[in-house]
Amino acid sequence: MEQCSIPPQRTIHTHPIKRDIDIRTSLRYGCTTFVVDNMSELKKFLPYRERVGLLLRLAFSNRYAVVDLSKKFGLDVAEAPAFITKAESLGIRIKGLSFHVGSQSTQPEAHVLAIKRCTALLESIRDGAGAPLSLLDIGGGFPIAYAGFGIDIKPFCAPIRSALKTLPDYVQVIAEPGRFIAAPAMTCLTSVIGKTQRQHRPWYYLDDGVYGSFSGQIFDHARYPIYALKQGARTESVLAGPTCDSIDIITSSIQLPQLEIGDLIIATMMGAYTSATATAFNFIPKTPIAVLNDIKKTIPSMRRIP
Ligand SMILES: Cc1ncc(COP(=O)(O)O)c(C=O)c1O
């Protein structure tokens, strides 16, 4: 964040579960906004109540999300008024609400419904005895075009924008888009290290697989758009990773031209939830990351890669 010149006071700690050391480290850094969704977590802020403002995370389930986060985090909206009253009685300031409708949300309905329910809650709090809540964090979940998904972000966001217009005017809105910003920024290059014919199909073994950069296929249920650089007549083929495990198959059905050892396979939209979960299983090193818009620094560091 320092590198991005973002003042620490403008950052938020969004994980609903924190250790005391996490809170202290964040405060020392200058971050004073944290997220909570349960009473035990709220009480962790008693020693720091003079210094913090909290967001109460609410749960909204979403059948359109590839990863539904409401199973794990968020308080039920019906329990929110009592929670906020309890925080006030403890002298801990709840300054707003937050939610995350789940990652790769393919329809805007969940965002819209969550905003509407938060609007109703914020208005009921304003009409009550306590201090009004003035911040709404609408989280992430904004989708990208993976293989099989044709997402156009403008029509996706139109109903969300309309719903946001109904918020009381004293409420500031922030968002936490992750995948939408990060995913298109990275492209994976992997090369063929082995080939054979099995079950009447060409199999190509690559130097990266589901234990590496393609781990998001398992943890994140993502299907990355995959291409071969080479042109030519295509046949139904299999792409497998380099490890000894049979789960390490990237796709068992992809149209590819005939490839040779050393030929490149390209996967796009690889900037989110890929290298973060990659492992070095079987002593196969993780794929190095090269930053191409900083070419002077990148080329020498690429030469060092064994
Ligand atoms: C608290 C929080 N904010 C933001 C994000 C980013 O979400 P997405 O990549 O779906 O936009 C996540 C992802 O899990 C998250 O847990």
Side-chain angles (χ1 to χ4, degrees):
M1 281 298 167
E2 268 159 24
Q3 283 171 345
C4 301
S5 307
I6 308 289
Q9 298 73 16
R10 293 190 59 209
T11 63
I12 58 176
H13 189 306
T14 59
H15 202 298
I17 306 295
K18 296 156 287 297
R19 300 167 302 171
D20 182 59
I21 179 95
D22 302 326
I23 299 173
R24 278 188 282 124
T25 308
S26 302
L27 283 171
R28 202 174 319 122
Y29 173 67
C31 168
T32 56
T33 304
F34 296 82
V35 171
V36 293
D37 71 355
N38 68 72
M39 204 49 81
S40 160
E41 200 69 14
L42 180 70
K43 288 181 181 161
K44 290 181 189 170
F45 286 93
L46 277 169
Y48 314 109
R49 60 186 149 191
E50 309 296 337
R51 300 165 64 190
V52 299
L54 305 185
L55 302 181
L56 171 58
R57 177 157 165 177
L58 300 171
F60 298 102
S61 67
N62 180 3
R63 68 192 166 103
Y64 298 114
V66 175
V67 183
D68 184 353
L69 297 172
S70 68
K71 268 191 279 188
K72 190 168 174 186
F73 297 118
L75 189 69
D76 195 279
V77 187
E79 296 176 47
F83 189 94
I84 293 164
T85 306
K86 178 69 184 175
E88 263 176 21
S89 74
L90 293 173
I92 304 173
R93 184 164 75 103
I94 304 283
K95 65 177 182 182
L97 304 174
S98 80
F99 60 79
H100 193 307
V101 296
S103 208
Q104 185 69 0
S105 182
T106 54
Q107 300 288 333
E109 279 82 353
H111 281 95
V112 171
L113 187 70
I115 292 165
K116 285 186 178 162
R117 297 196 71 186
C118 287
T119 306
L121 181 59
L122 291 165
E123 281 170 347
S124 75
I125 291 165
R126 178 190 56 190
D127 298 340
L133 273 51
S134 59
L135 189 58
L136 177 64
D137 177 350
I138 64 168
F142 301 94
I144 56 157
Y146 284 128
F149 280 107
I151 297 284
D152 190 348
I153 198 67
K154 279 200 176 156
F156 179 92
C157 286
I160 300 174
R161 282 179 189 281
S162 304
L164 288 173
K165 284 190 186 134
T166 65
L167 277 167
D169 56 9
Y170 58 85
V171 177
Q172 184 196 356
V173 177
I174 59 173
E176 304 169 21
R179 181 191 307 276
F180 185 79
I181 292 174
M186 286 180 87
T187 297
C188 179
L189 268 69
T190 169
S191 53
V192 177
I193 58 169
K195 58 178 283 191
T196 190
Q197 190 81 11
R198 298 176 70 80
Q199 297 115 16
H200 313 291
R201 285 181 183 190
W203 278 58
Y204 300 107
Y205 300 88
L206 305 176
D207 58 7
D208 204 345
V210 304
Y211 280 93
S213 310
F214 291 82
S215 54
Q217 289 196 183
I218 292 173
F219 293 113
D220 189 40
H221 317 289
R223 284 278 156 192
Y224 311 102
I226 297 176
Y227 314 91
L229 262 194
K230 214 176 199 176
Q231 302 293 316
R234 297 154 166 230
T235 53
E236 190 81 345
S237 310
V238 177
L239 288 178
T243 68
C244 62
D245 195 346
S246 60
I247 197 181
D248 192 6
I249 292 172
I250 297 167
T251 170
S252 45
S253 172
I254 182 169
Q255 292 287 325
L256 288 174
Q258 189 181 322
L259 301 176
E260 302 302 334
I261 306 295
D263 280 345
L264 286 178
I265 290 288
I266 313 289
T268 59
M269 297 290 179
M270 292 286 283
Y273 313 118
T274 54
S275 55
T277 44
T279 72
F281 177 54
N282 271 188
F283 295 103
I284 292 161
K286 293 186 204 178
T287 295
I289 296 173
V291 183
L292 290 183
N293 58 1
D294 200 355
I295 201 84
K296 280 193 204 120
K297 285 187 193 154
T298 304
I299 288 175
S301 70
M302 282 175 84
R303 284 208 188 106
R304 282 201 300 275
I305 294 161

